[in-house]
Amino acid sequence: MATTTTFEYTVRDRAGKVVTGRMEATDQAALVARLRQLGHAPLSVAVAGTGLNREITLPFGRSVSLKDLAVMSRQFATMIDSGLSLLRALTILAAQTENKALAGVLASVRQDVETGQSLSVALAKHPRVFPPLMMNMCRAGEVGGFLDSTLQSVAANFEAEVKLRGKVKSAMTYPVVVFVIALLAVVGMLLFIVPIFASMFASLGGELPAPTRLLVWLSGLMKVGAPLLVVLAAVGLVVWRRVRHHHRVRSVVDPLVLRVPVFGPLFRKVAVARFCRNLGTMIRSGVPILQSLDIVGGTAGNLVLERAARDVQDSVRRGESMAAPLARHGVFPPMVVQMLAVGEDTGATDTMLEKVADFYDAEVEATTEALTSLIEPIMIAVLGAVVGGMIIAMYLPIFTIFDQIQ
């Protein structure tokens, strides 16, 4: 087989606009012939990545978020549904997408499609950007001839996931902010304010009350341990990022996440909603059931649901039902199991799964509102108790001095 080389080209299209891009070809002559077949007038052609024109990718560049994918998918689906060609839609997306990283990936996908590759194959070359759910649904849409409706389903799925994540973040933002403020206030008082009072109390003499002695001891400990705590926190964060995806770590952490007080039920509802929505969307888009379960298990985000998907996959492979294995996993409420069983009996599994996902989306919204109203006064009371207790401990010796003077 002849080897191919990646070339950078500049052409003038049929509208007279100057367009640049990349394409693989055996040589420059083959590339020029290909560009002319597409109706372009070549202006310049050069081997990509040579000399000073070599592309440099910065490791700290902006990443592609799920919200970016949701916006892109909706625009893509709208253009395909309106009758635009796949190449023209990809060209428009690459030009108007605000995220530069996503724009570069879309330009690469367009070039692959232009060379004759299918959309799903072109997307599969960028697994860090496009999730397996999107790639497999596009493949099913291409095979079945309903790519437009598949892209609509992908867009709706991503938009629902973005909305769900937004609800969870709104519930977590307040307690996290209050906790950080309380922590900074305590550390600031121990490092800067308590030492001033401690030196003043030492000059006055006498025995300090027990709360004040404890506060002074914590202040001295913080002076010595603060740099060590910062180093340990940084090292712990780096180590956690490296080991958090290991199976042994996930087998311990993931079940605990679903049993965390207060927030555990919220995480459970989010996981069930994501599982049902992804599975229902893929089944409706024509992805084979075993392949759908394999993908949903890998993208569940929690090892407990991944194991449940694996059990369901084994059950379906043996010719049994999907609902029976879920009943053995406590993360799925009885209502989910029963609705899935009814969906299997009536042949409307995808519809039932989407109804379950919609129901738990509403449950997540109600839970986040309840948590916000419950946590707000609790966090204010905790913050007031901590800071107020420290202030009282610092002023107790002053009250003692007044008593001695009297």
Side-chain angles (χ1 to χ4, degrees), residues 59 63-65 69 102 105 123-132 135:
S63 60
V64 180
S65 65
L69 286 179
L102 181 58
V105 171
L123 295 178
K125 292 183 177 181
H126 308 277
R128 294 186 178 181
V129 177
F130 303 108
M135 292 183 289

Side-chain angles (χ1 to χ4, degrees), residues 229-274:
L229 289 176
V230 172
V231 173
L232 289 177
V235 173
L237 181 61
V238 173
V239 172
W240 170 250
R241 287 183 175 180
R242 291 188 176 183
V243 304
R244 62 179 178 176
H245 296 299
H246 291 185
H247 186 271
R248 291 184 178 179
V249 177
R250 292 187 61 195
S251 62
V252 176
V253 174
D254 287 357
L256 290 177
V257 168
L258 301 179
R259 293 197 294 265
V260 172
V262 182
F263 289 99
L266 176 62
F267 296 148
R268 177 186 176 186
K269 293 174 182 178
V270 171
V272 172
R274 180 186 295 120

Side-chain angles (χ1 to χ4, degrees), residues 272-354:
V272 172
R274 180 186 295 120
F275 180 91
C276 294
R277 182 185 301 106
N278 290 344
L279 183 57
T281 302
M282 297 192 73
I283 292 176
R284 170 165 291 185
S285 299
V287 181
I289 182 65
L290 291 177
Q291 187 177 356
S292 299
L293 289 168
D294 185 47
I295 296 170
V296 169
T299 58
N302 193 287
L303 192 61
V304 176
L305 278 82
E306 186 175 342
R307 291 171 179 170
R310 196 178 302 119
D311 288 348
V312 175
Q313 193 176 15
D314 294 338
S315 176
V316 173
R317 190 177 288 112
R318 294 191 301 266
E320 300 175 1
S321 66
M322 296 173 56
L326 294 184
R328 298 193 294 267
H329 295 270
V331 67
F332 291 97
M335 186 196 76
V336 177
V337 179
Q338 294 299 324
M339 290 188 67
L340 183 57
V342 173
E344 288 183 297
D345 293 339
T346 59
T349 304
D350 54 343
T351 302
M352 285 297 181
L353 287 171
E354 291 179 2

Side-chain angles (χ1 to χ4, degrees), residues 94-174:
Q96 72 179 16
T97 300
E98 296 181 359
N99 189 314
K100 300 301 181 183
L102 181 58
V105 171
L106 289 172
S108 177
V109 170
R110 181 195 178 281
Q111 293 169 12
D112 291 335
V113 173
E114 191 175 16
T115 58
Q117 299 181 18
S118 64
L119 177 63
S120 58
V121 173
L123 295 178
K125 292 183 177 181
H126 308 277
R128 294 186 178 181
V129 177
F130 303 108
L133 181 141
M134 182 177 183
M135 292 183 289
N136 284 274
M137 288 180 63
C138 288
R139 183 179 296 113
E142 289 173 331
V143 173
F146 46 85
L147 182 61
D148 52 349
S149 61
T150 300
L151 289 173
Q152 295 281 1
S153 299
V154 171
N157 183 280
F158 285 166
E159 288 168 352
E161 183 70 15
V162 169
K163 185 178 180 181
L164 188 65
R165 290 186 181 185
K167 294 174 183 177
V168 176
K169 287 181 180 179
S170 66
M172 298 289 293
T173 299
Y174 184 82

